[in-house]
């Protein structure tokens, strides 16, 4: 299954009763496996989690740590753009040149590299001594 299809399907399962804004994310890891996530909101608003965060958590729980490709999709007027926190989370596990496809349900697509979404990211390399 394509990442776009996987992200589209998981978006249907998003829990977004407060914003009504459902997001789906799918990523491929170095092994070729696909991991998906959707946003999960909470009555205590700041406790909600983004779709990208869910997909990353599933990848890490499966024992993987390198992302090679990402797709994010939502029903919005222009391709969904990962929030700042998700850009930082992606940068932790993806090389600068990893492509992120931002999509709309209506069929719009925009592709940017992780390094262009968050130039100069604080990354694991900074923690090396
Ligand atoms: N959201 C995501 O899941 N990913 C993003 O990159 C942007 C925003 C979610 C968070 C919240 O549940 C809803 O979209 C509205 O902000």
């Amino acid at each position: 299954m394509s990442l776009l299809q996987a992200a589209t399907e998981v978006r249907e399962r998003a829990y977004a009763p407060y914003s009504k804004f459902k997001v789906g994310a799918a990523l491929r890891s170095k092994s070729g496996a696909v991991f998906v996530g959707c946003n999960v909101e909470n009555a205590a608003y700041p406790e909600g989690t983004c779709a990208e965060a869910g997909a990353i958590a599933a990848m890490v729980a499966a024992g993987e740590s390198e992302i090679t490709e990402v797709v994010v999709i939502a029903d919005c007027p222009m391709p969904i753009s990962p929030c700042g926190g998700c850009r930082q989370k992606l940068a932790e596990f993806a090389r600068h040149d990893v492509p992120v496809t931002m999509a709309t349900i209506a069929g719009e697509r925009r592709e940017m590299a992780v390094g262009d979404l968050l130039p100069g990211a604080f990354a694991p390399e900074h923690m090396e001594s």
Side-chain angles (χ1 to χ4, degrees):
M1 182 191 295
S2 73
L3 286 187
L4 183 63
Q5 181 69 21
T8 302
E9 287 186 11
V10 72
R11 178 183 166 275
E12 290 297 320
R13 300 193 287 276
Y15 178 76
Y18 307 106
S19 72
K20 316 273 189 226
F21 189 74
K22 292 183 166 200
V23 185
L27 62 83
R28 197 177 309 282
S29 64
K30 196 175 177 184
S31 75
V34 173
F35 298 96
V36 297
C38 55
N39 52 333
V40 180
E41 298 184 345
N42 194 282
Y45 291 177
E47 302 301 332
T49 51
C50 285
E52 297 90 326
I56 290 169
M59 178 193 75
V60 172
E64 297 213 47
S65 57
E66 191 172 339
I67 297 169
T68 60
E69 197 183 346
V70 184
V71 174
V72 189
I73 189 163
D75 188 9
C76 43
M78 72 284 289
I80 170 81
S81 185
C83 76
C86 286
R87 293 173 191 218
Q88 182 68 39
K89 290 180 179 74
L90 290 169
E92 181 79 14
F93 298 103
R95 291 163 44 109
H96 291 185
D97 59 352
V98 164
V100 178
T101 299
M102 299 164 270
T104 69
I105 293 295
E108 272 197 85
R109 307 283 179 260
R110 183 177 186 205
E111 187 182 302
M112 287 179 74
V114 165
D116 292 326
L117 284 170
L118 189 63
F122 179 65
E125 302 82 71
H126 292 97
M127 301 294 286
E128 290 168 11
S129 51

